Amino acid sequence: MQGIPLIFEKTKTGKEGFRLSPLEVPKVDLSETLGEDIVRDEVNLPEVSELDVIRHYTELSRMNFGVDNGFYPLGSCTMKYNPKINEEVAAMPGFTELHPYAPEEISQGTLEVMYDTQNLLAEITGMDNFTLQPAAGAHGELTGILIIKKYLEHKGEKRTKIIVPDSAHGTNPASASHGGFDIIKVKSDSEGLVDIEALKELVNEDVAALMLTNPNTLGLFEKNIFEISKILHEKGALLYYDGANLNAVMGIVRPGDMGFDVVHLNLHKTFSTPHGGGGPGSGAVGVKAFLRDFLPKPLAAQKGQMYYLDYDIPHSIGKIHGFYGNLGVVLKAYAYIKSLGAKGLKEASEIATLNASYLLKKIEDMFEVPEDILFKHEFVVSCNNWKEKFGVRALDVAKRLLDYGFHPPTIYFPLIVDEALMVEPTETESKDTLDAFADALRKIYQEAKEGPDFLKSAPHDTPVRRVDEVKAAREMKLIYEG
Ligand SMILES: *Cc1c(COP(=O)(O)O)cnc(C)c1O
């Protein structure tokens, strides 16, 4: 195995990193109360010094790639920089040391932030009520689907189907299926948008909802959204907004105004916590007023000067997270929204789109790109021509980018584009970084021309070289056997 030894392999018998002070109270034999198998002398912990521990984990952390050490244009994940002021706010002891069972009278600050965040998100999206409970985008989807299901049950309607576009993120059909619905796929037209005629054919009294991302996973704005909304609503079906791509449209258009009834946001994408940023996420869900009574409970609410948790939600789907959700991510989103303000959020979206358009212009001659298409905050190009001309695949390009110090873009998604590279630069990157990334791609293009083998064995300069993905999936070995 490449890389560095496990901390267990660094053991030297007798080394210790921490020493307890001498016992000052009578010794108690716990094995009588807890049982012999719980109280053991041998626990097989590594015997290392404090300095060994520090060096070990610092070395490990250097093998990692994060948005704080390099450009991370992972399409659909919005890996923007998270200003450190947000972390500082989230780490304030008034928040971190508040016990979730603390009475409302001494939790006013936290409740106020939750209440304000619910309202800010409602304003940004044009919805009426928000829950902060879901822990991720996919969890928000499931929450939204369960809300739709309960609403339909309440109306006495038996609708069994959910429509998703063929360009949808895999979590959409997964969430709908988990919620007990059958999935129908609607195809994309030649422009990469929902095929309106095909949609019309599919929508009937069996359909509960259409799940849609706008701009969609190709980075294209569904410009027929009003017509789509009409097609669904005329047949009594609802419209669900996958908000993973809100970074393209903040302060410009609102899903609520486009006709969506339920939305989820990925606070850990759009609102600055990087996706998969070493911690939990938040998939806040917003609804139009007619669905408010189906939201998970409790919601943060206000009465006079006081904030409280409102459990009076008559048809609630129940709780979907312990306590109130992942407050740390919510706090970062709150700090982010407050520090940018309405003007700043709009500017962020505009620059995200500008950065994507600029980068595309710099690299489009090397790839297959559909003509005359206006991308938003991310774009998708195909490496089909690389495959045909040089025998080099999107995967090889992605791996070689690591040697140049860049995190690769998303590859092979959306599924409807062969050899897809999906690039989302975000607004927090400078022109210099975008230029350097374009230069790296041009060098890789040259390398591909000169011979594919070098690229096929990339990365060459990373601590771990190319991994066998099939073996990793088939023979997963996660336990250390020392
Ligand atoms: C990321 C993403 C999701 C799922 O969000 P998670 O927070 O990863 O669960 C859903 N849809 C789209 C389009 C996404 O990009």
Side-chain angles (χ1 to χ4, degrees):
M1 175 50 202
Q2 318 163 52
I4 59 176
L6 298 175
I7 189 133
F8 289 92
E9 293 164 326
K10 293 183 175 170
T11 282
K12 278 263 159 64
T13 310
K15 265 199 178 186
E16 49 191 34
F18 187 75
R19 206 172 291 168
L20 290 170
S21 48
L23 198 61
E24 290 174 345
V25 292
K27 193 173 175 182
V28 179
D29 185 2
L30 282 174
S31 53
E32 277 173 27
T33 36
L34 294 178
E36 294 284 347
D37 43 336
I38 290 185
V39 183
R40 288 166 296 156
D41 286 333
E42 288 298 322
V43 285
N44 191 25
L45 290 175
E47 293 180 74
V48 286
S49 70
E50 180 174 325
L51 181 57
D52 291 336
V53 174
I54 296 296
R55 293 218 169 119
H56 179 74
Y57 287 104
T58 304
E59 193 180 359
L60 275 184
S61 76
R62 288 196 184 153
M63 292 170 71
N64 213 345
F65 192 98
V67 78
D68 284 355
N69 54 327
F71 185 42
Y72 208 132
L74 191 66
S76 213
C77 286
T78 315
M79 301 299 287
K80 61 172 77 174
Y81 169 68
N82 172 29
K84 295 302 164 245
I85 181 88
N86 300 345
E87 295 292 340
E88 236 167 86
V89 169
M92 283 164 78
F95 296 120
T96 56
E97 288 176 19
L98 182 69
H99 194 282
Y101 281 135
E104 283 169 359
E105 305 84 76
I106 62 164
S107 314
Q108 286 297 299
T110 297
L111 289 171
E112 181 178 352
V113 169
M114 287 170 63
Y115 179 74
D116 278 357
T117 308
Q118 288 171 190
N119 289 339
L120 288 167
L121 297 178
E123 192 181 333
I124 292 168
T125 55
M127 306 306 282
D128 296 310
N129 299 94
F130 255 89
T131 171
L132 305 173
Q133 271 187 44
H139 196 196
E141 291 170 26
L142 179 63
T143 304
I145 292 295
L146 293 177
I147 290 171
I148 291 171
K149 190 175 177 179
K150 192 108 196 240
Y151 165 74
L152 292 172
E153 269 168 25
H154 181 70
K155 274 181 64 180
E157 290 187 18
K158 281 215 174 0
R159 293 174 181 254
T160 55
K161 296 186 175 130
I162 297 238
I163 305 179
V164 296
D166 56 6
S167 62
H169 194 265
T171 50
N172 289 185
S175 302
S177 170
H178 203 63
F181 289 96
D182 298 327
I183 313 301
I184 339 179
K185 231 189 239 184
V186 59
K187 67 180 167 84
S188 304
D189 63 15
S190 57
E191 285 182 78
L193 305 175
V194 169
D195 187 314
I196 296 291
E197 292 312 313
L199 181 68
K200 277 186 193 155
E201 303 249 313
L202 293 175
V203 181
N204 56 34
E205 271 70 26
D206 288 339
V207 172
L210 165 71
M211 296 179 87
L212 201 63
T213 313
N214 199 14
N216 66 22
T217 59
L218 291 162
L220 306 176
F221 192 80
E222 296 280 358
K223 60 185 181 204
N224 304 316
I225 186 60
F226 287 139
E227 193 178 353
I228 292 173
S229 164
K230 196 160 154 251
I231 294 170
L232 270 293
H233 288 131
E234 269 178 2
K235 290 274 169 27
L238 302 186
L239 198 50
Y240 180 96
Y241 185 77
D242 176 334
N245 287 345
L246 193 79
N247 210 47
V249 295
M250 286 185 295
I252 299 167
V253 282
R254 309 190 305 170
D257 300 332
M258 297 180 216
F260 287 92
D261 304 293
V262 185
V263 315
H264 89 254
L265 300 180
N266 301 59
L267 300 190
H268 51 285
K269 291 180 182 175
T270 314
F271 297 98
S272 93
T273 301
H275 189 214
S282 176
V285 167
V287 295
K288 289 279 173 65
F290 72 97
L291 293 171
R292 184 261 175 200
D293 286 351
F294 299 87
L295 282 168
K297 58 179 154 186
L299 297 172
Q302 186 182 25
K303 193 185 273 168
Q305 295 293 309
M306 293 292 284
Y307 297 92
Y308 69 104
L309 291 168
D310 186 0
Y311 285 87
D312 184 18
I313 301 169
H315 311 295
S316 173
I317 59 165
K319 277 185 86 68
I320 44 105
H321 193 285
F323 298 107
Y324 322 111
N326 289 325
L327 186 69
V329 185
V330 172
L331 290 168
K332 282 186 259 178
Y334 179 78
Y336 180 74
I337 293 168
K338 282 291 196 182
S339 54
L340 285 189
K343 199 162 156 271
L345 289 179
K346 181 164 183 261
E347 211 171 272
S349 284
E350 286 167 351
I351 297 173
T353 299
L354 179 64
N355 276 359
S357 307
Y358 174 77
L359 186 54
L360 176 63
K361 273 277 163 263
K362 290 213 59 146
I363 66 169
E364 63 186 356
D365 60 297
M366 291 181 276
F367 297 93
E368 279 184 11
V369 188
E371 268 168 50
D372 297 331
I373 282 209
L374 196 59
F375 286 100
K376 290 286 174 198
H377 66 309
E378 63 193 355
F379 60 84
V380 181
V381 296
S382 167
C383 293
N384 248 340
N385 55 329
W386 294 53
K387 196 169 147 190
E388 281 160 20
K389 273 194 265 178
F390 319 125
V392 166
R393 303 194 55 203
L395 176 73
D396 306 319
V397 178
K399 294 293 183 194
R400 183 64 179 143
L401 275 168
L402 288 166
D403 288 333
Y404 284 96
F406 297 110
H407 194 285
T410 297
I411 53 174
Y412 302 111
F413 176 77
L415 304 176
I416 54 173
V417 178
D418 285 340
E419 294 297 322
L421 275 188
M422 181 190 208
V423 185
E424 180 180 11
T426 83
E427 71 281 7
T428 55
E429 297 300 333
S430 66
K431 180 174 172 295
D432 288 342
T433 301
L434 303 181
D435 289 341
F437 181 74
D439 289 346
L441 275 175
R442 204 159 290 284
K443 282 189 196 133
I444 297 172
Y445 190 73
Q446 197 55 38
E447 288 168 355
K449 260 193 202 164
E450 287 159 12
D453 292 346
F454 185 63
L455 295 183
K456 294 215 155 293
S457 53
H460 299 280
D461 305 330
T462 50
V464 176
R465 302 277 304 276
R466 180 144 344 179
V467 290
D468 183 338
E469 291 177 3
V470 176
K471 188 161 186 250
R474 296 268 158 82
E475 293 172 40
M476 218 183 290
K477 200 168 158 193
L478 298 176
I479 297 169
Y480 170 66
E481 290 155 355

